Amino acid sequence: ETGVTQSPTHLIKTRGQQVTLRCSSQSGHNTVSWYQQALGQGPQFIFQYYREEENGRGNFPPRFSGLQFPNYSSELNVNALELDDSALYLCASSLVGQARETQYFGPGTRLLVL
Amino acid sequence: DAKTTQPPSMDCAEGRAANLPCNHSTISGNEYVYWYRQIHSQGPQYIIHGLKNNETNEMASLIITEDRKSSTLILPHATLRDTAVYYCIVRPPNRDDKIIFGKGTRLHILP
């Protein structure tokens, strides 16, 4: 186990609703990255948070937003859910500034949008 | 887009060495090769990474060719628990943000 935890494990929402997913980073890590993984595909980078600010973003619309808290935990918020948002959402924590930084992933939250 | 090419699937007999190839012909001189794996319904798990020299840890060995255009991940004694999707990733140094995943190789360990 990596020490990265995510909640909830599973979630069902309907189109148009909003959702908040949570991630607790591994002890000692200061950075959280979020990924979306559609069925049969590799994970796609959404964004990263470092020192409570967004530190890089992938090709996702603004309705995907996030927060990082002083304890380095993080939230992913998705507004106006669409059917295509159904996926496994992964967070990964890392220690920025360490040589050859490695990201460690949590177990994911599986979101189903109906 | 991912900068790596991997076979979509491979089989390996339990107890044998699993050798997973990866092509990264456009790799830059300062980019590292990373390997992750993802067991069904779990998050990706870091395995190993390297720059030029071969690397070994408790999980696997990484062999990088001299021209660095390809590499091989070796699981020396594959078990059923090694059944997973294996991702080969190229990353520049000091880039702490995104990991670009391809589709990986689905490794089946056969009893």
Side-chain angles (χ1 to χ4, degrees), chain A residues 20-93:
Chain A
T20 297
L21 310 181
R22 296 177 175 82
C23 173
S24 291
S25 59
Q26 183 170 315
S27 177
H29 284 181
N30 57 13
T31 302
V32 174
S33 304
W34 286 91
Y35 294 79
Q36 180 195 65
Q37 186 174 24
L39 202 61
Q41 304 295 318
Q44 300 295 308
F45 176 73
I46 303 174
F47 44 54
Q48 183 186 75
Y49 276 82
Y50 170 60
R51 291 183 175 177
E52 302 177 48
E53 293 197 1
E54 191 176 286
N55 182 44
R57 188 178 184 93
N59 189 26
F60 281 82
R63 60 188 185 85
F64 286 78
S65 63
L67 285 173
Q68 186 182 31
F69 300 100
N71 66 354
Y72 305 123
S73 66
S74 177
E75 288 182 354
L76 165 65
N77 299 291
V78 187
N79 294 321
L81 283 167
E82 301 177 358
L83 297 180
D84 286 347
D85 296 333
S86 295
L88 180 67
Y89 288 85
L90 297 158
C91 78
S93 77

Side-chain angles (χ1 to χ4, degrees), chain B residues 9-104:
Chain B
S9 67
M10 292 182 62
D11 293 337
C12 178
E14 188 177 18
R16 296 294 188 113
N19 297 282
L20 292 92
C22 179
N23 286 322
H24 30 80
S25 58
T26 61
I27 192 170
S28 298
N30 61 353
E31 291 182 316
Y32 285 81
V33 179
Y34 279 73
W35 283 83
Y36 280 78
R37 73 179 182 184
Q38 188 172 23
I39 296 170
H40 182 61
S41 295
Q42 298 182 21
Q45 177 190 22
Y46 165 79
I47 302 173
I48 198 168
H49 70 281
L51 181 63
K52 294 180 182 178
N53 300 321
N54 299 336
E55 302 286 345
T56 295
N57 63 20
E58 65 278 4
M59 289 183 66
S61 294
L62 173 61
I63 308 299
I64 303 174
T65 58
E66 192 169 344
D67 63 7
R68 301 207 330 118
K69 293 185 176 182
S70 66
S71 61
T72 300
L73 178 74
I74 301 173
L75 308 178
H77 305 287
T79 71
L80 295 177
R81 289 179 296 180
D82 293 321
T83 294
V85 177
Y86 287 77
Y87 296 100
C88 170
I89 296 153
V90 166
R91 295 184 74 193
N94 302 318
R95 280 298 303 275
D96 299 322
D97 56 355
K98 61 185 175 182
I99 296 175
I100 299 176
F101 289 87
K103 293 190 175 181

